[in-house]
């Protein structure tokens, strides 16, 4: 009885628990499938995120054992490391291995930190690289000093033992 002369559709009351159009029905059907897909994909990605670096590390170890060029292996392994290598640190601070003293490291560190000061338009990223390079080289120099001290002590002990055996 609600029809009109112009061909307008009959309007009926739709109960609130029913959807009004087909798009809502499709959306409702996709929801559970999306949840199922997410439940499969997320653990899969988590597993891959752990497995790929482990496999890469294992491949590097196998390459070392097989006698691959050490420079190539070291360059590839730097991808997995969070720290700088000694060579990278020397390159960042523009030092050679023979020039790497605590004073020279500190001088270069201050120079590059000032040049990359963020308040003067410098780069925080470069400052962090300079800081990590200094940190690594300080550790390297300290290890060198400890080795020299140990060698001196070993030489003194050897001389003392030789003198004691002569008497």
């Amino acid at each position: 009885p609600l029809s009109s002369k112009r061909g307008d559709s009959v309007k009926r009351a739709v109960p609130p628990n029913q959807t009004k159009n087909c798009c809502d029905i499709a959306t409702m059907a996709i929801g559970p499938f999306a949840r199922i897909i997410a439940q499969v994909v997320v653990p899969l990605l988590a597993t891959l995120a752990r497995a790929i670096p482990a496999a890469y590390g294992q491949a590097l170890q196998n390459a070392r054992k097989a006698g691959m060029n050490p420079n190539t292996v070291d360059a590839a392994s730097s991808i997995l490391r969070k720290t700088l290598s000694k060579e990278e640190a020397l390159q960042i601070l523009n030092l050679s291995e023979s020039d790497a003293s605590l004073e020279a490291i500190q001088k270069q560190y201050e120079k590059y930190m000032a040049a990359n000061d963020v308040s003067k338009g410098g780069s925080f990223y470069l400052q962090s690289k300079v800081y990590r390079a200094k940190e690594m080289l300080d550790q390297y120099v300290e290890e060198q000093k400890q080795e020299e001290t140990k060698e001196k002590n070993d030489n003194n002990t050897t001389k003392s033992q030789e003198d004691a055996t002569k008497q």
Side-chain angles (χ1 to χ4, degrees):
L2 292 176
S3 63
S4 66
K5 296 179 184 177
R6 293 186 185 172
D8 290 339
S9 63
V10 177
K11 296 185 180 186
R12 294 181 227 167
V14 177
N17 61 351
Q18 292 181 356
T19 59
K20 292 185 180 181
N21 60 32
C22 66
C23 294
D24 289 340
I25 293 171
T27 304
M28 285 177 38
I30 291 174
F33 291 119
R35 189 179 76 232
I36 291 169
I37 290 171
Q39 288 175 344
V40 171
V41 169
V42 169
L44 179 66
L45 290 176
T47 303
L48 287 174
R50 287 188 306 266
I52 290 173
Y56 187 72
Q58 185 65 41
L60 288 175
Q61 286 180 354
N62 292 342
R64 283 189 187 104
K65 288 179 185 175
M68 193 172 158
N69 182 354
N71 294 333
T72 307
V73 174
D74 289 341
S77 66
S78 69
I79 295 170
L80 294 179
R81 281 187 281 115
K82 302 267 192 257
T83 60
L84 296 173
S85 69
K86 178 184 67 167
E87 289 77 20
E88 289 172 313
L90 288 167
Q91 189 176 18
I92 289 169
L93 291 179
N94 197 23
L95 292 170
S96 65
E97 194 167 343
S98 60
D99 296 338
S101 67
L102 287 176
E103 297 80 25
I105 293 168
Q106 184 65 33
K107 180 181 175 186
Q108 291 296 89
Y109 169 77
E110 290 172 359
K111 174 183 172 183
Y112 290 126
M113 287 299 277
N116 290 298
D117 189 6
V118 177
S119 64
K120 296 178 183 175
S123 168
F124 177 75
Y125 172 77
L126 292 177
Q127 276 191 325
S128 67
K129 286 295 218 180
V130 169
Y131 178 81
R132 293 295 173 205
K134 178 188 181 300
E135 184 179 58
M136 195 283 153
L137 290 176
D138 285 344
Q139 179 183 359
Y140 170 72
V141 169
E142 289 300 320
E143 288 174 0
Q144 291 297 320
K145 285 183 179 181
Q146 287 175 358
E147 286 179 17
E148 288 174 7
T149 305
K150 183 179 176 184
E151 287 176 10
K152 286 180 183 178
N153 289 340
D154 288 345
N155 288 340
N156 290 340
T157 305
T158 306
K159 287 181 182 179
S160 299
Q161 290 173 353
E162 288 175 359
D163 291 341
T165 54
K166 288 180 182 178
Q167 294 175 355

